[in-house]
Amino acid sequence: MTKIVVISDTHGQHLGMQIPDGDILIHCGDFCSHGQYIDALRFVNWFGTHPHKHKIFIAGNHDLYFEQGNPSDIDGFLRTMPAGMHYLQDSGVELEGLKFWGSPVQPAFFNWAFNRDRGEQIKKHWDLIPEETDVLITHGPPYKICDVAPNGAGFYKNVGCVDLLNATLKIKPKLHVFGHIHFSGGHSHVTPETIFANAAICDENYLRNNKPLLINVNSDKQFSLVTVT
């Protein structure tokens, strides 16, 4: 049995979090509060303290350093990460017999990092996802799956990406985890092919009100979502 633990959208509030034991720990982006180098350094140092054999993270729209920093500085930063830690940016890694793919992009959202226009500009990122992907990690959700957000006028709307939804329906990963939309944090949607889950820890008020996700994977690559108490 392989245990996967997933968190997202901690926004610099990771200290003191209770993280379940497991084999693989994933963060789906927005670990920074202001997106600066020091935010990223503090997160990586904390992330590396956990006993999980493998750790994977992607950036989110608040993690501006990873898109707007000097590329050589970012490369140097990533090379200093502890063994067993993997940063994915439209890239993948195979761990414990499972194939992971991660991407930080999301439909344009204010003036933040990794914004892409809906349609062809963002679709080219989803076209990179390998068909054999078991676990898909994105910062934002697919359309109409754990993507409900308030619109500021007392109403709610689905804000996920249609092209990402189409990619997941085509590829059928066993697990698709994301965050970004705090209002839908902690929600999941399970189909016969895929477990979709929004792992955002912070709520709309940036309070740490949701628990990490825990997914068990058996030897036949059957995934099951476990309630964390």
Side-chain angles (χ1 to χ4, degrees):
M1 181 78 70
T2 301
K3 295 180 180 293
I4 301 175
V5 180
V6 189
I7 56 177
S8 187
D9 295 81
T10 49
H11 293 281
Q13 300 184 54
H14 43 263
L15 293 179
M17 279 189 63
Q18 297 299 310
I19 304 294
D21 291 335
D23 304 292
I24 301 170
L25 177 60
I26 297 173
H27 197 300
C28 305
D30 275 7
F31 41 83
C32 290
S33 53
H34 302 292
Q36 299 172 348
Y37 164 79
I38 192 63
D39 289 331
L41 180 62
R42 287 169 177 160
F43 164 74
V44 167
N45 286 341
W46 170 83
F47 206 50
T49 64
H50 295 285
H52 305 71
K53 181 179 179 181
H54 309 288
K55 304 168 189 73
I56 304 171
F57 71 102
I58 65 170
N61 56 295
H62 278 255
D63 305 320
L64 292 100
Y65 171 73
F66 287 90
E67 184 173 55
Q68 299 177 9
N70 184 301
S72 62
D73 290 343
I74 296 170
D75 287 344
F77 176 87
L78 295 174
R79 282 196 297 271
T80 64
M81 293 191 309
M85 191 178 298
H86 306 271
Y87 172 69
L88 302 183
Q89 184 173 318
D90 287 328
S91 58
V93 65
E94 184 170 352
L95 304 167
E96 304 295 326
L98 301 172
K99 294 182 179 180
F100 297 80
W101 185 267
S103 177
V105 305
Q106 78 278 312
F109 183 77
F110 294 107
N111 188 28
W112 294 97
F114 299 105
N115 279 339
R116 302 292 185 269
D117 290 336
R118 294 177 186 268
E120 205 54 43
Q121 189 181 75
I122 199 167
K123 182 179 179 295
K124 68 182 182 181
H125 290 273
W126 311 140
D127 288 345
L128 297 173
I129 304 169
E131 292 189 1
E132 65 272 16
T133 298
D134 296 304
V135 180
L136 177 60
I137 308 163
T138 59
H139 183 56
Y143 183 60
K144 285 193 173 181
I145 298 181
C146 307
D147 72 331
V148 173
N151 68 358
F155 298 97
Y156 300 88
K157 60 181 179 179
N158 298 99
V159 295
C161 179
V162 172
D163 289 303
L164 178 56
L165 173 65
N166 291 337
T168 61
L169 293 177
K170 175 185 175 183
I171 296 166
K172 297 181 175 62
K174 302 284 189 179
L175 176 67
H176 181 191
V177 288
F178 44 86
H180 187 44
I181 306 304
H182 295 194
F183 187 80
S184 294
H187 291 213
S188 60
H189 177 73
V190 180
T191 73
E193 296 85 14
T194 305
I195 296 173
F196 297 90
N198 185 323
I201 296 296
C202 288
D203 63 16
E204 284 289 300
N205 297 312
Y206 287 81
L207 298 176
R208 205 173 66 193
N209 273 334
N210 295 317
K211 295 182 181 298
L213 302 175
L214 176 60
I215 298 95
N216 287 340
V217 186
N218 68 17
S219 58
D220 295 324
K221 284 192 178 181
Q222 293 178 324
F223 286 59
S224 58
L225 188 60
V226 180
T227 301
V228 176
T229 57

